[in-house]
Amino acid sequence: MSGERGPAPPRVAWYGDDFTGATDTLAEVSRAGLRSLLFLGVPTAEQLRRAGALDAIGIAGAARGMAPAAMQAELRGVGRFMAGTGARVLHYKCCSTFDSAPHVGNIGAAVQELRRHMPNPLVPIVGGQPSIGRYCSFAQLFARAGSDPEIHRIDRHPVMSAHPVTPMHEADLRRHLAAQGLLGVRSVPHTAYPRLRQAADAPALERWIDQVIETADGPLLLDLIDDEQLAVIGRLIWRAATCLPLLAVGPSSVQQALARAMPGARPGLAPGPLPAAAGPVLVMAGSLSPVTARQIASCRHYTRQPLRVERLLGDEGYAAAQTRQAIAALARGKNLLLHTDNPGEALAAEHTAATARATARLAAAIVQGCAQAGQRLGRVGIAGGDTSSQATLALGLWGLSFRCVLAPGVTVSIARSDDPRLDGMELMLKGGQMGGDLLFDDLALGQA
């Protein structure tokens, strides 16, 4: 026997319930100094070989938009694969606003399936992400709306309370998750956390963690109102995971917390800033969020190409004509922003989903059409969670690696593809609520 060992297993794994959130988590694990890659589905043996040794491994999915049965069918294979990697923590990355419902994006259904693959009975749920204006206090969720500094209780949030698919009408995450079948959620208020400000605080914290692990069984909701608490939460999760691999639930703050607890992690690593684009930039704004509407109105460095939603949904000839028009504009070296004709206007749920599919197909057709015409696009932005997920799949990519953070919650990734014309393309995926008003201009002009 040679005595040679294979590569060490990844320490953490995550599944993002949409692509924009999955790339936000990719940014967090990468900035913690962990070798990481986000796959766009359960990876093949060849894709794993090409990825090389990884400390953190992610899979981007679309569970947020699925019915419970479809979610569990998708997550069954994900859970088997992730458990087989030997990762100590499997993170089900949900949206930081926890917008979900019994009939779509059901977090309870996801937990029911994934905890079958991780033997630890404890399921930590992290209920906030202060870095992007999300806070959980006494189990109540609060959130900022875009770049507006005002904080709203989630059931009174100007956008999330009126979300066209999963409106948030309950701020108590225990009640919200119970409605999705996740019963018996216990809450740990932030006032119960020991301090961890100096070395002398560590023994008391360790005793507290031991007590929580010994007494907790099942879903445990952890408040989070400031970054100082991340170290406490991270130590709790990592200690429990070293006993038995566990499932954790929540936004990217799960990884922010773990980065402060895992040996060898270095939270806060900053890659080089994004330079100005070397060629024309394409942005597809499929989001109907008022935040994205402000970003569309504020940008000054793009040619705009508004899309008539009714025609895009029902007229194939219209979509083809818009594709040709866009390819021609990009060939002239113009940055191009395509957007729905009434950005920020609420639609019926079935029209929202159809619009996401149509704008995703259009974005992919433009990128591929440019490539076929000999013009490789080096930088592309997609706005809208569902549009981002579907456009990335339509492009036939198999993975994403980290490039930089353009704004809190907005990641620029590097595409991995078997098509050399797409491999290496810089891709910004953003949810409707993320980014400041000048985000699209920043994507083209780079960071100062």
Side-chain angles (χ1 to χ4, degrees):
M1 298 178 64
S2 65
E4 293 184 2
R5 296 182 179 181
R11 284 180 274 176
V12 296
W14 79 97
Y15 172 90
D17 69 353
D18 72 4
F19 281 36
T20 59
T23 60
D24 183 50
T25 304
L26 171 67
E28 295 299 340
V29 296
S30 299
R31 292 195 295 177
L34 303 181
R35 296 168 297 179
S36 52
L37 191 72
L38 177 64
F39 294 96
L40 308 185
V42 174
T44 65
E46 173 59 18
Q47 289 166 354
L48 286 170
R49 186 195 66 78
R50 290 173 64 180
L54 296 172
D55 303 310
I57 185 167
I59 293 178
R64 186 178 174 189
M66 293 180 178
M71 290 178 69
Q72 291 186 305
E74 167 159 321
L75 293 174
R76 194 165 299 127
V78 170
R80 281 196 299 266
F81 169 76
M82 293 300 203
T85 68
R88 305 305 300 182
V89 177
L90 169 53
H91 172 199
Y92 181 75
K93 196 283 177 193
C94 63
C95 183
S96 60
T97 55
F98 280 78
D99 55 305
S100 50
H103 66 287
V104 61
N106 186 312
I107 295 172
V111 171
Q112 180 183 6
E113 176 56 43
L114 291 176
R115 72 184 302 185
R116 295 174 55 241
H117 305 278
M118 306 302 281
N120 200 312
L122 179 64
V123 181
I125 303 170
V126 180
Q129 188 173 340
S131 62
I132 55 173
R134 310 290 190 255
Y135 308 93
C136 186
S137 179
F138 299 102
Q140 312 296 307
L141 186 62
F142 299 83
R144 192 173 61 223
S147 57
D148 189 330
E150 185 175 355
I151 305 299
H152 308 268
R153 202 173 73 185
I154 200 67
D155 58 334
R156 298 178 182 176
H157 191 279
V159 177
M160 300 316 302
S161 64
H163 191 283
V165 180
T166 51
M168 291 293 287
H169 298 318
E170 176 56 69
D172 189 324
L173 288 180
R174 296 166 297 187
R175 296 172 63 90
H176 177 63
L177 294 172
Q180 298 173 49
L182 190 56
L183 304 177
V185 178
R186 290 179 49 198
S187 173
V188 181
H190 58 87
T191 51
Y193 297 164
R195 294 193 317 171
L196 184 60
R197 297 178 180 172
Q198 54 189 5
D201 295 332
L205 174 60
E206 300 307 321
R207 289 192 296 271
W208 179 79
I209 288 174
D210 287 339
Q211 181 182 19
V212 171
I213 292 174
E214 289 170 4
T215 58
D217 183 358
L220 187 70
L221 175 62
L222 300 162
D223 276 2
L224 179 55
I225 64 169
D226 63 49
D227 284 348
E228 186 177 298
Q229 295 163 354
L230 288 168
V232 174
I233 294 171
R235 286 199 183 199
L236 170 60
I237 295 175
W238 188 246
R239 171 83 71 76
T242 56
C243 300
L244 282 173
L246 62 69
L247 169 68
V249 178
S252 295
S253 52
V254 171
Q255 300 297 337
Q256 293 174 339
L258 287 169
R260 288 158 172 80
M262 288 188 299
R266 294 167 292 161
L269 287 179
L274 187 72
V281 176
L282 168 67
V283 170
M284 170 62 77
S287 168
L288 300 172
S289 161
V291 174
T292 302
R294 290 200 300 271
Q295 292 164 342
I296 293 169
S298 299
C299 74
R300 296 289 178 266
H301 295 273
Y302 290 79
T303 297
R304 288 178 171 80
Q305 186 173 327
L307 304 169
R308 294 181 59 186
V309 172
E310 286 188 6
R311 293 196 64 188
L312 188 62
L313 296 181
D315 184 346
E316 291 185 6
Y318 176 77
Q322 293 300 311
T323 301
R324 291 191 296 271
Q325 180 180 336
I327 292 171
L330 292 162
R332 294 193 296 271
K334 304 290 187 181
N335 296 329
L336 184 65
L337 168 62
L338 292 95
H339 61 85
T340 55
D341 50 356
N342 293 305
E345 181 177 291
L347 298 177
E350 63 272 18
H351 290 155
T352 300
T355 299
R357 289 192 296 270
T359 51
R361 287 194 298 267
L362 182 59
I366 294 168
V367 173
Q368 291 165 342
C370 286
Q372 291 166 2
Q375 181 185 17
R376 180 183 184 277
L377 294 180
R379 189 172 295 174
V380 173
I382 310 288
D386 291 341
T387 302
S388 293
S389 300
Q390 295 185 45
T392 306
L393 290 173
L395 285 168
L397 309 181
W398 60 262
L400 297 171
S401 56
F402 176 64
R403 172 61 183 87
C404 67
V405 172
L406 189 61
V410 181
T411 299
V412 177
S413 304
I414 299 174
R416 303 294 300 271
S417 172
D418 292 329
D419 185 342
R421 298 173 300 182
L422 302 181
D423 193 56
M425 179 178 68
E426 294 174 331
L427 184 61
M428 180 200 78
L429 306 177
K430 89 164 202 79
Q433 297 303 304
M434 297 301 170
D437 291 353
L438 300 179
L439 181 73
F440 296 154
D441 281 348
D442 290 342
L443 180 65
L445 301 179
Q447 296 165 308

